[in-house]
Amino acid sequence: MKKILDLISEEMMNAFEAAGYDRELGRVTVSNRPDLCEYQCNGAMAGAKQYKKAPIMIANDVAAKLTDSAVFQTAQAVAPGFLNLVLTDAFVGDYIRGMRAEEKYGVEETDRPQEIVIDYGGPNIAKPLHVGHLRSAIIGESVKRIERYIGHHVTGDVHLGDWGQPMGLVMNELKARSPELVYFDESYTGEYPAEPPFTVAELEEIYPFASKCSKEDEQYKADAMACTYKLQSGVRGYRALWQHIIAVSVVDLRRIYDNMGVTFDLWNGESSVRDLIPGMVEEMKAGGHAYISDGALVVDVKEETDTKEMPPCMLLKSDGASSYATTDLATIKMRMEQNHPDALIYLTDKRQELYFQQVFRCARKTGLIKPETKLVHIPFGTMNGKDGKPFKTRDGGVMRLENLIREVYDEMLRKITETRGAENEEARQTAETVAYAALKYGDLSNQASKDYIFDIDRFTSSEGDTGPYILYTIARIKSILAKYVQDGGDLQAVYSCIPAPSTEGEKQLMMALAKYNACIEAAAQEYAPHKICAYIYELANALNHFYHETKILAEENAEKKAGWIALLLLTRDVLETAIDLLGFSAPERM
Ligand code: ARG
């Protein structure tokens, strides 16, 4: 379905042409003076020079061609040469009926579906998720859903950090605590136990402990590195123990991500590409791209037009160990072979911006990808506390993601119980649903690259630009619909009976709805969930305005009432679809 703005522009362009002017001048925009008009066209001003005429004369000529337009109720030329536009009720009503008839409310799926791999989440085995992992999961999940919605084939990969030094630290500490474990007996040739020798709680305690020890004790650090080496070089017992660490950790990670509504198609990790690294490095050497510099193997990625420093991409450190970049490059190689992607998308903190530039250039230069393969890094800003500094716990530590979620949940439950008077199972379930919406909307409503402040009072408020406000609006619609049914109304029967708007509030609501396909298209093209947040906020405001000025259920004219109910149904469907693209859902009631 065409975008409403395009239809309006077409009508205006035809008028410019009919009046003897260049059609291109007829582009229309949303009014920046909503008190005066709904849309506007500034083409007459732009054309003044070309036609050596006062803009108002052009505007008058064009307006004269629109006197019986089916699109514009009024097209008024005003000094110095604007065209102020108000749409006809019939045009708006027709457009909304058209939206209702389409499965995706006027959004057209792409005619060139792409194969996309999106790398997000990025948790590290044996380390608890912390607030730093929140944004990657939330934004990545939403981008995945949006791209899928417009018809791309998207594979989400969690890209576990499962192969580096933290593994050695955990194993070294396990060895110190239980040296008798069979995994450390290098002469052992039998089967290893199926049960892990630790719980997830123990694992989580072990990692920070070991990490602290290695900072204080050189020998400890050396021993941990030796463990990493043994793991990476394939010592049986270490590999078996590592498998346990992964298995235990992944169960826990899945649980947390599942609760958050974040799901991955692939649970690959850095370790998945370990066998690809030597071959890839050899190819890069043979291709003349990789060379030794200060003992390390590097690839230059500087370009002539660079204005800032661009260090080379390091493949092997001087001790022969591969680096973070090597893993990412080998992962690109693997994805190219397995998924044949048209685009690879990464979500990380913006502090990794330069890093991804290096990796992308290296991948392109060394031919790991095809010339037409798109590599996209979506960098995000930091979640800060109210002091404007990266969010910390009260005692200044890194906040665990689960604790953060718990805090939002507790606050939501407190608010819900306060209004309902009692805490029960339904209140707890509602609080959980709303808490995720509060947290996710609080995050996604900001442009990803910007830092934002985690403000629990604001995020959980049912007023203003918040997740709970959107959910309250949906709940309000659902409650009206339920009453309509209780009074004997039939939702199926009224479903598509949307008439032309008869009140201002109704028209405003329809015009807000009508922007849906344009919003989704922009969000998909720019990987920008915040555009969907801005859209649903505007839509929710329009709905609430309409609700406050209209006595819907008390309306005596059954046909009129049915039309309003149909409009509410469409608004509910659009809002629920949009929040699903953001990765959260609405409870039946609040
Ligand atoms: N595990 C990394 C971290 O916690 C993030 C991984 C990001 N993804 C990537 N392909 N490098 O910082």
Side-chain angles (χ1 to χ4, degrees), residues 13 18 37-38 43 113 127 131-132 143 168 178 270 289 294 324 372 388-389 397 400 438 477 490 495 562 567 587:
M13 288 162 118
C37 57
E38 296 162 355
K127 293 205 242 175
V131 296
V143 169
S178 318
E270 295 175 355
H289 299 298
D294 287 335
Y324 184 49
E372 65 275 18
K389 300 204 184 98
R400 285 181 63 147
I477 298 176
D490 178 353
Y495 189 75
L567 186 57

Side-chain angles (χ1 to χ4, degrees), residues 395-414:
D395 55 11
V398 178
M399 172 83 95
R400 285 181 63 147
L401 186 53
E402 278 195 283
N403 294 348
L404 180 84
I405 293 170
R406 183 91 210 169
E407 257 187 37
V408 181
Y409 167 81
D410 286 344
E411 178 59 15
M412 232 34 263
L413 183 62
R414 195 188 62 73

Side-chain angles (χ1 to χ4, degrees), residues 289 291 293-294 296-302 309-315 323 325 354-355 357-359 361-362 365:
H289 299 298
Y291 68 95
S293 163
D294 287 335
L297 188 71
V298 301
V299 174
D300 276 332
V301 291
K302 254 209 297 280
E309 225 205 312
M310 181 59 71
C313 194
M314 191 192 298
L315 298 181
S323 70
L354 176 69
Y355 167 77
Q357 254 174 11
Q358 292 174 291
V359 168
R361 283 185 182 185
C362 183
K365 185 172 174 182

Side-chain angles (χ1 to χ4, degrees), residues 119 122-124 133 159 161 270 324 328 346-348 352 355-356:
D119 178 315
N124 299 310
H133 292 106
H159 198 71
E270 295 175 355
Y324 184 49
D328 265 319
Y346 295 81
L347 279 121
T348 76
Q352 293 191 40
Y355 167 77
F356 275 103

Side-chain angles (χ1 to χ4, degrees), residues 561-572:
K561 181 156 144 184
W564 286 337
I565 293 295
L567 186 57
L568 291 187
L569 275 167
L570 179 62
T571 309
R572 177 202 66 184

